[in-house]
Amino acid sequence: MTDPGCTRRRLLGGLALLGGVFAWPRGLLAADAFPHDVTIMVAGPVGGVLDQAAHAMLPGLVAGLPPNTAILRRPVGGLDGVTGANAFMAQATLDGGTALLVPGAASLAWLAGDNRVHFDPSRWLAVLASTMPGFLVVRDGARIEPGKPVRVASQGAVSPSLAALLGLDLLGAHVHPVVGITDAEAALAALGHGTVDAVLLRGDGTIARLASLQGKFRPLCTLGTPQPGGDLTRDRLAPTVPTLAEYAASIGNPLPRGPKYDAWLCAASAAQLRDTLVLPSLIPAAAVAIWRNAASTAVSDSLSSSVNIMLASAASALLRALSPGGAALLELRTWLAEQLGWRPGGP
């Protein structure tokens, strides 16, 4: 697993480097042009997974920032990142002194129109993004076809399972969420017992887990690797597994393009976004360049090779892909209300 992951990371990092990440010559830095004390706001609880990720990248970030720059890590809010992202929008400075590490769950809440959200991801500048693969898994030998009912394990309307529910609806299946299934083990148990027909599994260990369950479960398709142009391609770690669009075409029912498809692309990208490090959109370009240089250092020095990283322009393109047009947003929010009974104030 390490070698393919490392290869993927290098490929994505190389694309980003071509897009504009460069080594920042320390001798050309003006000492007064960048704050000596900077803050990374972590949109999550103290000691949580995101806080641990921020802690892991700090040494590399410090090494890439101007000499004698001190970084304060400040966790804010709960696991979905909404409170932390709101705080960032209200408190971030425009001199480059504040960055935000935010989970993909916050983008899902924004897409759904959650009324707790007081931020707009389109107003952020991405420094780096960390992604993970996502697979739609069924029992071995099972198929999902248009017009047929399919029960999908769900953590709730505004959760990564939205990508599976909306995608299968786009395929033409009659989706029925089975709520309250909160983790992968419970989802696989439900699939094995026949109480659900499909589950969405995400994360770097998913491929190994599925290999150990071969003959019992199989990946029907991947959500697809988000691309800067907005399309989704096969996951490099599972090149034989088709994307949902490819699966639909293989059964003679290509996914229809339009606002619902655009909404699904955003949901699929958000479901596979582990986290992203962002800046306010109005900070000086020189400060953005300094942060992006620091991010490239952090990736090479501090982050596991099993983590899939996009830098600079590639990360920015992914963030833009999470901000659909008005027609797609309206389609998504109408679908959530009509199909899942979701209200902006909560489930």
Side-chain angles (χ1 to χ4, degrees):
M1 291 295 295
T2 299
D3 290 341
C6 188
T7 300
R8 184 183 190 190
R9 180 173 67 87
R10 286 198 294 264
L11 285 170
L12 293 172
L15 290 173
L17 288 169
L18 291 174
V21 173
F22 55 91
W24 187 266
R26 290 179 176 241
L28 297 182
L29 290 175
D32 59 352
F34 192 78
H36 294 293
D37 298 298
V38 301
T39 298
I40 292 182
M41 297 180 68
V42 179
V46 175
V49 172
L50 201 63
D51 191 28
Q52 294 175 40
H55 179 74
M57 72 170 66
L58 282 187
L61 287 173
V62 169
L65 290 173
N68 303 316
T69 302
I71 299 182
L72 171 67
R73 186 177 90 254
R74 183 158 74 90
V76 181
L79 291 173
D80 65 7
V82 171
T83 299
N86 285 339
F88 175 71
M89 292 299 290
Q91 302 170 21
T93 60
L94 298 181
D95 58 358
T98 312
L100 172 71
L101 187 66
V102 60
S107 291
L108 279 171
W110 177 81
L111 285 169
D114 192 319
N115 64 10
R116 298 173 302 141
V117 169
H118 302 294
F119 59 86
D120 183 349
S122 68
R123 298 175 61 187
W124 295 340
L125 295 173
V127 175
L128 63 81
S130 168
T131 64
M132 58 184 141
F135 297 86
L136 191 64
V137 178
V138 298
R139 289 183 292 277
D140 195 38
R143 291 170 59 86
I144 294 177
E145 297 179 348
K148 303 294 185 181
V150 54
R151 298 163 299 171
V152 183
S154 174
Q155 306 88 37
V158 185
S159 70
S161 59
L162 172 62
L165 291 164
L166 185 58
L168 293 176
D169 180 89
L170 195 64
L171 180 69
H174 298 307
V175 295
H176 300 282
V178 178
V179 299
I181 300 177
T182 57
D183 57 44
E185 293 303 327
L188 288 174
L191 186 61
H193 293 147
T195 54
V196 299
D197 304 305
V199 302
L200 176 65
L201 295 185
R202 304 178 305 144
D204 301 312
T206 301
I207 296 173
R209 171 176 281 173
L210 291 175
S212 70
L213 296 171
Q214 190 172 9
K216 187 175 182 181
F217 306 127
R218 70 180 180 91
L220 184 79
C221 60
T222 70
L223 291 182
T225 301
Q227 298 298 303
D231 289 327
L232 299 170
T233 61
R234 290 191 180 193
D235 194 290
R236 290 187 178 91
L237 298 180
T240 63
V241 181
T243 64
L244 178 62
E246 289 176 324
Y247 174 77
S250 73
I251 62 173
N253 192 59
L255 298 181
R257 299 300 179 107
K260 184 184 288 188
Y261 180 85
D262 295 338
W264 172 72
L265 284 177
C266 293
S269 296
Q272 295 178 98
L273 178 62
R274 180 184 281 106
D275 54 65
T276 182
L277 184 66
V278 301
L279 303 166
S281 61
L282 298 179
I283 72 170
V288 177
I290 291 171
W291 273 106
R292 287 180 170 173
N293 174 72
S296 66
T297 304
V299 168
S300 60
D301 288 350
S302 302
L303 297 182
S304 167
S305 62
S306 65
V307 174
N308 302 313
I309 297 293
M310 293 182 178
L311 293 169
S313 59
S316 295
L318 176 58
L319 197 61
R320 287 195 300 272
L322 297 175
S323 302
L329 274 179
L330 178 62
E331 180 74 28
L332 174 61
R333 294 169 183 178
T334 300
W335 187 88
L336 280 167
E338 293 180 350
Q339 301 299 320
L340 303 184
W342 189 83
R343 304 182 309 277

